[in-house]
Amino acid sequence: MYGRKACQLVKEFVSSDSGQLIVFNNDLFAQVIEECDGHLLQLQALLRKMQVEGSDNQTTKNADHFGALVHHLSLVRNKRCLMAYVHNRAEVIQNLGWTIERVLPEEIEEKLSSSEKEYFKNHSATLQSYMSDLDLDLAVDMVPPKDPYIKVRVLEEIGNVVLSDQLANLALHAILFLRRTDAEQYISQVFL
């Protein structure tokens, strides 16, 4: 039946957990594209036949006309299913760009096609470039903070440190107000 493979492709994506990727199904994807090529060839043959016979599409509704319609609708449906599959996977990959640094973990990378890996690399590089131009880490908090400065207590002696807007002495047990973006790296290392 026409469109069954494309429907399987979409069902495969929908059955996975939200925000999670399953292995890109190259075989089924290629089969759907092959089916689309077959529909296109059949559609072109029927249109040529109708043109040679001189039948008018508006007045004459014969088997060739309905056959062309079936092939056209099948082609459009397969195209929509392929685009939905690729678009939904691209959205998950974009979300990974906000949560993961520039390098994908191996267990995620093996689930992506080569074009998806390239897409992630370009998206991540563009995101990093934009954030460096703004001198702002947009991935720190998804909810904007009320104040760009946070109160921190130094847990380990670090000494004098050059931050983005000040020189700070991070002495043991000192309490300071630092920019959130400056403090994040020290908080993640459990120094603050």
Side-chain angles (χ1 to χ4, degrees):
M1 185 171 146
Y2 296 143
R4 183 164 293 191
K5 292 178 183 176
C7 186
Q8 286 175 352
L9 199 60
V10 173
K11 283 181 181 178
E12 182 179 291
F13 180 81
V14 171
S15 67
S16 67
D17 293 333
S18 179
Q20 300 294 319
L21 288 174
I22 55 175
V23 177
F24 188 85
N25 197 336
N26 282 319
D27 296 333
L28 192 54
F29 198 85
Q31 289 173 11
V32 174
I33 290 176
E34 188 176 312
E35 184 179 316
C36 287
D37 290 341
H39 285 302
L40 182 62
L41 291 174
Q42 291 291 328
L43 178 63
Q44 289 172 339
L46 287 171
L47 290 175
R48 274 194 301 272
K49 180 180 176 189
M50 290 167 47
Q51 190 176 28
V52 167
E53 292 175 354
S55 60
D56 183 20
N57 290 342
Q58 301 300 323
T59 59
T60 307
K61 305 291 186 198
N62 58 14
D64 291 337
H65 174 78
F66 292 114
L69 182 64
V70 167
H71 285 293
H72 172 70
L73 292 176
S74 297
L75 185 63
V76 170
R77 183 170 193 270
N78 283 348
K79 178 181 170 184
R80 287 176 56 210
C81 290
L82 288 172
M83 290 178 69
Y85 183 73
V86 170
H87 175 74
N88 287 321
R89 287 182 65 89
E91 281 185 339
V92 173
I93 293 168
Q94 284 178 358
N95 290 337
L96 287 174
W98 287 96
T99 57
I100 297 175
E101 290 298 320
R102 297 185 93 153
V103 178
L104 282 171
E106 188 175 320
E107 63 271 5
I108 294 175
E109 189 172 357
E110 65 191 16
K111 295 178 182 179
L112 302 178
S113 68
S114 59
S115 60
E116 288 175 329
K117 290 174 189 174
E118 185 68 25
Y119 178 72
F120 175 79
K121 186 176 109 181
N122 291 338
H123 181 266
S124 179
T126 303
L127 192 59
Q128 292 297 324
S129 171
Y130 181 71
M131 288 190 297
S132 67
D133 288 348
L134 290 178
D135 191 30
L136 181 66
D137 188 2
L138 297 173
V140 172
D141 287 321
M142 295 313 285
V143 177
K146 294 179 181 175
D147 189 8
Y149 289 88
I150 60 172
K151 186 177 183 180
V152 294
R153 178 184 301 252
V154 180
L155 300 176
E156 289 189 29
E157 180 75 33
I158 299 173
N160 290 330
V161 177
V162 177
L163 302 173
S164 62
D165 62 345
Q166 65 184 352
L167 177 66
N169 183 9
L170 301 180
L172 188 62
H173 301 298
I175 297 175
L176 303 163
F177 282 98
L178 300 177
R179 284 184 66 174
R180 181 178 298 271
T181 54
D182 292 336
E184 283 295 324
Q185 65 182 357
Y186 296 109
I187 291 172
S188 65
Q189 296 172 4
V190 195
F191 292 141
L192 299 178

